[in-house]
Amino acid sequence: MAVMTMVQAITSALDAKLADDENVLCFGEDVGVEGGVFRATEGLQKKYGVKRVFDTPLAESSIVGAAIGMAIAGLRPVAEIQFDGFVHPATNQIVSHLARYRYRTRGKRPMPVVVRFPNGGGVRALELHSDSNEAIYAHFPGLKVVMPSTPYDAKGLLISAIEDNDPVIFMEPKRVYRAIKQEVPEGIYRIPIGKARVLAEGSDLTVVAYGAMVRVVQQAMIEAKKEGISVELIDLRTIYPMDTATIVESVKKTGRILVVHEAPESFGVAAEIIARVNEQAFYYLEAPPARLTGTDTIPPLPKSEDLYFFPPERVLYEIKKTLES
């Protein structure tokens, strides 16, 4: 075991798969010489050469389009987009071709492509550097959408994503990149896509979170425990396909649910989770399902960032409010 940040765990996953499978390639803007804007690919070009780890022009649509062509030719490309807000020019390739190719070829052509990029805010970045796009891509059939919350999960999920024969949108919460360290195996291991994890068992309330929000909820739970509140925390890990069964079973036990994410509220992941709970666990509910989300605004510039992202105290407030309703 080695102690790693999330960035180091991602580098380790890419390193392991580049060594394991000669068909794996990594590329994107500044991915080669510089090692990526967050240094997630640092040292990989020197180790595996310019034909397997390389820089691209500043053209996100072309990056994903090239990845699709590589996958058709039998390769397993891992394309990096520098920031969440930069992925929009590539959305045409992602939605019109990447997501549809297996369907379009009646299952004859798998599409083993990973599109990975930093997601969310909290690092006082500029406009188009703090977006939360998970609900957008989870909406399109043909895509899997993954967001880890820890270094250990990041490596295991990324290895599973690279080995998957369907396209995976791999979103990395940039606020967590270097915020925590964790023991991570140096070899290959896998965490299944589509399976949530119960991080803490509880009896009063179910809280579902993912990505950077998991740590915020965990901090709130420390104070909740002091007040005698028992919270069951589920880390979603995969946005789509969603592990509905784990959520429903938890709600059947606690009778209450609060969903926490930093993406805007309207048409978000919380809305989807609450709809599924209403469909499958309605008669077990002892209070209306609740959500704590970002606001329906563009993430603000650094000076106002603290007004947009909620602290653990706000999560604790919403936990109490849900229990009292």
Side-chain angles (χ1 to χ4, degrees):
M1 291 276 199
V3 177
M4 300 184 191
T5 63
M6 181 177 283
V7 169
Q8 291 168 333
I10 289 166
T11 308
S12 180
L14 295 171
D15 189 2
K17 286 308 298 178
L18 283 162
D20 174 65
D21 185 347
E22 64 181 8
N23 290 319
V24 174
L25 302 91
C26 300
F27 55 95
E29 297 158 7
D30 293 328
V31 161
V33 176
E34 297 293 336
V37 68
F38 286 97
R39 302 297 182 262
T41 55
E42 190 168 32
L44 297 180
Q45 187 183 72
K46 187 175 182 181
K47 189 171 182 179
Y48 296 100
V50 296
K51 291 186 177 179
R52 298 189 64 200
V53 182
F54 52 91
D55 295 317
T56 67
L58 302 179
E60 289 79 9
S61 181
S62 296
I63 292 171
V64 176
I68 294 169
M70 292 177 190
I72 292 172
L75 301 174
R76 288 188 176 273
V78 181
E80 177 180 309
I81 305 296
Q82 275 196 341
F83 283 94
D84 31 58
F86 298 173
V87 73
H88 303 308
T91 299
N92 179 36
Q93 291 288 350
I94 292 172
V95 173
S96 301
H97 303 293
L98 183 65
R100 295 169 180 260
Y101 214 83
R102 182 190 281 272
Y103 172 83
R104 186 176 292 158
T105 60
R106 305 297 185 264
K108 294 178 181 177
R109 286 283 187 185
M111 191 50 55
V113 174
V114 176
V115 179
R116 45 170 294 268
F117 53 85
N119 188 72
V123 296
R124 304 195 183 283
L126 304 174
E127 188 185 357
L128 293 171
H129 291 64
S130 302
D131 292 357
S132 297
N133 305 329
E134 61 269 23
I136 296 173
Y137 295 107
H139 184 70
F140 290 109
L143 299 175
K144 297 178 180 178
V145 181
V146 174
M147 193 185 303
S149 67
T150 67
Y152 182 89
D153 282 7
K155 181 172 179 179
L157 285 166
L158 182 53
I159 288 173
S160 294
I162 294 171
E163 294 177 349
D164 202 304
N165 281 333
D166 288 314
V168 178
I169 306 298
F170 197 86
M171 297 181 170
E172 302 161 4
K174 63 177 76 75
R175 199 191 315 190
V176 188
Y177 264 158
R178 292 180 172 84
I180 57 174
K181 292 185 177 180
Q182 193 177 31
E183 285 192 341
V184 177
E186 295 183 67
I188 288 179
Y189 65 94
R190 300 163 184 86
I191 293 176
I193 292 174
K195 184 62 181 174
R197 182 185 178 195
V198 178
L199 291 179
E201 294 191 358
S203 57
D204 294 333
L205 171 77
T206 298
V207 176
V208 180
Y210 54 88
M213 287 299 99
V214 170
R215 291 184 64 234
V216 178
V217 174
Q218 287 175 318
Q219 292 165 0
M221 287 172 61
I222 294 172
E223 296 302 316
K225 186 176 181 180
K226 292 177 182 176
E227 300 185 28
I229 301 171
S230 177
V231 175
E232 180 145 306
L233 174 59
I234 297 175
D235 179 359
L236 205 54
R237 280 177 162 171
T238 303
I239 310 302
Y240 190 88
M242 185 180 290
D243 185 358
T244 308
T246 295
I247 298 170
V248 167
E249 285 307 306
S250 178
V251 173
K252 285 181 177 179
K253 181 175 69 172
T254 65
R256 291 177 169 84
I257 181 169
L258 170 66
V259 185
V260 180
H261 62 60
E262 75 174 67
E265 178 181 270
S266 296
F267 308 97
V269 174
E272 178 63 27
I273 292 173
I274 289 171
R276 294 184 185 206
V277 167
N278 281 331
E279 290 167 351
Q280 301 183 37
F282 181 78
Y283 291 107
Y284 293 86
L285 289 170
E286 298 177 18
R291 54 183 166 174
L292 173 60
T293 69
T295 56
D296 288 351
T297 62
I298 294 168
L301 295 175
K303 190 175 181 180
S304 302
E305 194 173 76
D306 292 336
L307 301 174
Y308 182 87
F309 296 106
F310 44 81
E313 291 79 9
R314 177 70 190 284
V315 177
L316 180 60
Y317 172 81
E318 295 296 334
I319 287 174
K320 292 180 178 178
K321 184 178 172 184
T322 306
L323 288 173
E324 293 167 358
S325 60

